[in-house]
Amino acid sequence: MSRATVSSVNVRRPLLYVIVGAVLALAGSLVPASRPAAGGAAEPPAQAVPGVGAPSPAPCTEVEDSLRPGPLPPPGAMPVGSTMAAIAERGRLRAAVDQGKYRVGFRNPATGELEGFDIDVARAIAQAIFGDPDRIQFVVVDIADRASVVASGQADVTVNTFTVTCARQQVVSFSAPYLTATQRLLVPRGSGIREIEDLAGRTVCTSAGSVTVDVLGRTEGVRVVALPGIPDCVVELQAGRVQAVSSDDVVLAGLAAQDPQTEVVGRALDSARYAVAVPKGADDMVRFVNGVLERARADGSLEASRRAWLGEVLDPLPTIPPPAYRD
């Protein structure tokens, strides 16, 4: 058994497919973490994300590039006074992740361990700090809580299919992106739905707090329902209360792989670049994480993880984008 531990922040959604048995069996062992109080740092809709305890910033559209990587100190030798040294002193990295995204962040029912592409990224950060990828506490969060859990200090990083947006950069800082995905549709096979326009007069479901809410709202006549997580949307799809689910192809492909009665269809409605979120202003941690990602690109471990987890469920594979830095 791994030394990694798991806690949860507002784990309220039903989990589906191959993970459901393991999650129910382990639910009683999860150590709950407190959720920010109402009016705190919860992640609002993407178009207006306020800072923690501060008025909403003016709307923005331009995403800033991340900070250039700094030198990577040896594991166990983090610079005195740094964000990484504080994590090392605690003895574990707290990483906010998902446990319901097959192949990305999910619980293996055979082992009870969290696995997937995002989990590999989180473990690489722990490895760089401690020399041990298992010195990690996974904090399981809903999509809407991905920024707040870092901003409120309940997690050191969020590695959870988290798209960089200008509004989110007002609340947390981001690494350079490590994966590019596209937004598409999951529908029942034989439904006749091929594109977003086919949903006119029908209902599509997506996760609250995601950028897909805005994208879907641009198509006239389409009703949009936002629920805590994509698994909640799949329950609604199975019950016939919605006619499609929209999210990133990385997430939808995992769901379709587990349910052959569904399929991923349609053109790309939007693109998303996943990055690691850290507390706002923790520039040393941003540079450190970017150094970890640079090394993973260079030694092939990021590519190996991408192919191992996503190669069987996505064609073409989502790309690993080249990093861009502002200084």
Side-chain angles (χ1 to χ4, degrees):
M1 177 64 71
S2 161
R3 282 180 288 164
T5 59
V6 180
S7 60
S8 60
V9 173
N10 194 37
V11 179
R12 59 180 179 268
R13 64 176 184 258
L15 297 175
L16 307 178
Y17 305 106
V18 301
I19 61 170
V20 67
V23 172
L24 292 176
L26 290 170
S29 67
L30 296 180
V31 180
S34 59
R35 187 176 183 181
E43 182 183 348
Q47 66 269 25
V49 180
V52 181
S56 298
C60 59
T61 57
E62 186 174 349
V63 173
E64 281 190 336
D65 290 334
S66 189
L67 296 171
R68 190 169 299 281
L72 279 181
M78 297 299 107
V80 175
S82 67
T83 303
M84 298 78 73
I87 295 169
E89 183 176 358
R90 186 195 309 125
R92 67 194 185 280
L93 173 74
R94 299 171 304 174
V97 299
D98 205 321
Q99 64 178 0
K101 294 172 182 169
Y102 183 54
R103 297 276 177 162
V104 183
F106 73 106
R107 190 178 295 283
N108 185 323
T111 65
E113 296 290 331
L114 290 174
E115 298 179 355
F117 183 72
D118 276 351
I119 304 301
D120 283 356
V121 172
R123 288 188 182 279
I125 299 169
Q127 171 71 33
I129 295 174
F130 298 102
D132 182 352
D134 290 334
R135 295 283 288 274
I136 191 166
Q137 175 187 348
F138 292 113
V139 183
V140 177
V141 296
D142 284 328
I143 282 179
D145 299 323
R146 290 175 298 183
S148 65
V149 73
V150 168
S152 64
Q154 295 184 87
D156 303 308
V157 295
T158 290
V159 192
N160 188 347
T161 61
F162 204 12
T163 305
V164 183
T165 69
C166 180
R168 287 171 177 166
Q169 286 182 326
Q170 311 310 300
V171 181
V172 296
S173 295
F174 283 97
S175 72
Y178 58 83
L179 192 73
T180 300
T182 58
Q183 180 186 343
R184 298 178 67 195
L185 301 172
L186 180 76
V187 300
R189 287 190 179 274
S191 67
I193 298 169
R194 310 313 296 174
E195 297 288 352
I196 184 68
E197 291 79 12
D198 297 328
L199 287 167
R202 303 181 184 182
T203 304
V204 59
C205 185
T206 192
S207 51
S210 69
V211 297
T212 60
V213 175
D214 289 339
V215 175
L216 295 171
R218 297 171 194 158
T219 302
E220 187 174 354
V222 176
R223 294 188 293 268
V224 181
V225 172
L227 296 178
I230 293 300
D232 300 284
C233 287
V234 177
V235 170
E236 296 300 291
L237 182 70
Q238 292 173 329
R241 289 186 287 267
V242 303
Q243 286 69 57
V245 176
S246 187
S247 186
D248 297 339
D249 57 354
V250 171
V251 176
L252 298 183
L255 293 169
Q258 294 172 289
D259 184 354
Q261 300 306 310
T262 63
E263 60 180 335
V264 180
V265 301
R267 66 185 182 277
L269 302 175
D270 199 10
S271 63
R273 288 186 154 200
Y274 300 157
V276 178
V278 305
K280 184 71 175 175
D283 290 356
D284 59 343
M285 187 66 177
V286 174
R287 295 184 189 277
F288 181 82
V289 171
N290 279 337
V292 174
L293 292 174
E294 284 278 15
R295 183 166 63 188
R297 292 186 191 95
D299 66 17
S301 57
L302 192 63
E303 171 65 13
S305 177
R306 180 183 74 126
R307 290 192 175 278
W309 290 114
L310 305 177
E312 294 181 4
V313 296
L314 271 177
D315 184 20
L317 274 171
T319 61
I320 297 174
Y325 304 113
R326 67 175 185 267
D327 62 18

